[in-house]
Amino acid sequence: MDFWILLTGSLAAVSCAILGCFLILRRMALMGDAISHSVLPGIVVAYMISGSRDSIYMLIAAAIMGLLCVLFIQWFNNRGIQSDASIGVVFTSLFAIGVVLVSMNARQVDLDLDCVLYGEIAYTAWNTLQIGGVDLGPRSVWLLGGTLLLVLAVIGLFYKQFKLCAFDPMLAAALGIPAALFHYLLMGLVSVATVSSFESVGAILVVGLLVIPPSTAYLLTDRLGVMIGLSAASGVAATLLGYLIAIWLDASIAGCIVAAAALLFAAAFLLSPKHGLLAAKLRHSRLSRSAA
């Protein structure tokens, strides 16, 4: 069981860490938070229609809601509303609608907010995929594995375009690269990664993995390729460390993984050779001595 929990967390961590790098570089870190909360109405509606937590309708409806969230935010931005205000208005409104739907249909729908926020990563080993009577292992591993392959395929095929759009969208547009298309493609991948992680790891862990490991990697390098690798490694390390902490404290696995990711970020913030707090103090001390 420990193996499946760690594998599930690691697959989610790598997918989110890769996409999170581009969100960080584009100063859109809160977009992952917005999407992860805004898909709740889609999940509830899909459960109400299908009556099943394993239905493909849940994945499709939630992904659609994630894309609608992005479209609404962009629509408000184009009409003069500041980016952070647009994100706050859209995701809180959609999440509130989802909460109302859950509370109104709690008896008809096998869904609760704890499942959405914290996930059920400890029970992934029991929710298996069976085809023709053959047990193929946890369903979440197949779903998250497919998501990771999709992320790797899209980012690998269009790496140069994503990179240029992240660093200089104006130059990308001047070179004929459809920056808007790659913006929505990135947001679509974030929606898919968020939705595929919901039942197993929950919204809290998804948000943490989208933001904290990429932020850690950002402090350690100035090269995008290295940043992506370090971000993925940080996400996997946080999963392993967080699971050990959860066992030791008998606490929430998702919460401990996010806390472990925060500890790794704190270490990078202090010890990074270029951007770390200690390095900055050493540079300031050297400048003071040279000026004296």
Side-chain angles (χ1 to χ4, degrees):
M1 184 179 69
D2 293 347
F3 170 77
W4 292 120
I5 292 174
L6 294 175
L7 181 59
T8 299
S10 297
L11 289 173
V14 174
S15 297
C16 292
I18 294 172
L19 297 173
C21 290
F22 295 96
L23 294 178
I24 292 293
L25 291 174
R26 300 186 65 177
R27 302 181 185 275
M28 300 174 64
L30 289 179
M31 188 64 77
D33 190 12
I35 293 175
S36 66
H37 287 78
S38 299
V39 299
L40 180 58
I43 292 175
V44 180
V45 171
Y47 282 170
M48 292 170 59
I49 294 174
S50 66
S52 171
R53 296 182 59 174
D54 299 327
S55 174
I56 189 62
Y57 297 118
M58 180 271 290
L59 182 64
I60 296 174
I64 291 173
M65 286 304 304
L67 291 176
L68 284 177
C69 169
V70 175
L71 290 173
F72 281 137
I73 292 172
Q74 191 64 42
W75 187 77
F76 283 126
N77 285 343
N78 293 339
R79 279 152 183 80
I81 306 299
Q82 291 183 353
S83 178
D84 55 347
S86 300
I87 292 174
V89 169
V90 172
F91 101 77
T92 53
S93 300
L94 291 177
F95 186 67
I97 292 172
V99 172
V100 171
L101 290 174
V102 171
S103 63
M104 290 176 59
N105 299 276
R107 295 181 180 180
Q108 289 79 23
V109 181
D110 183 20
L111 175 69
D112 56 59
L113 292 178
D114 286 343
C115 170
V116 173
L117 293 176
Y118 308 117
E120 298 178 343
I121 192 170
Y123 305 107
T124 54
W126 286 281
N127 185 16
T128 60
L129 177 64
Q130 296 188 3
I131 299 179
V134 179
D135 191 338
L136 299 178
R139 184 185 302 271
S140 59
V141 170
W142 286 97
L143 182 59
L144 291 170
T147 300
L148 178 56
L149 289 177
L150 175 64
V151 170
L152 291 174
V154 174
I155 297 298
L157 285 173
F158 303 106
Y159 177 76
K160 292 182 179 179
Q161 290 86 343
F162 278 116
K163 181 178 180 178
L164 191 56
C165 290
F167 285 104
D168 196 337
M170 299 300 292
L171 177 59
L175 294 175
I177 297 174
L181 174 62
F182 283 100
H183 168 74
Y184 288 113
L185 182 57
L186 176 62
M187 294 302 104
L189 290 175
V190 173
S191 296
V192 171
T194 299
V195 173
S196 64
S197 303
F198 247 94
E199 185 173 355
S200 56
V201 302
I204 300 298
L205 184 53
V206 171
V207 174
L209 293 176
L210 277 170
V211 176
I212 303 178
S215 299
T216 302
Y218 182 80
L219 293 172
L220 299 175
T221 182
D222 294 326
R223 297 177 58 189
L224 178 58
V226 178
M227 179 182 174
I228 291 174
L230 289 175
S231 179
S234 176
V236 173
T239 300
L240 299 176
L241 179 60
Y243 183 61
L244 293 175
I245 294 174
I247 293 176
W248 177 46
L249 298 177
D250 191 21
S252 165
I253 297 176
C256 288
I257 291 175
V258 175
L263 289 175
L264 294 177
F265 172 81
F269 181 72
L270 290 173
L271 304 175
S272 171
K274 185 173 182 180
H275 302 289
L277 183 62
L278 294 180
K281 288 188 175 182
L282 287 175
R283 287 194 298 271
H284 179 73
S285 176
R286 290 170 184 169
L287 289 174
S288 299
R289 287 198 300 268
S290 61

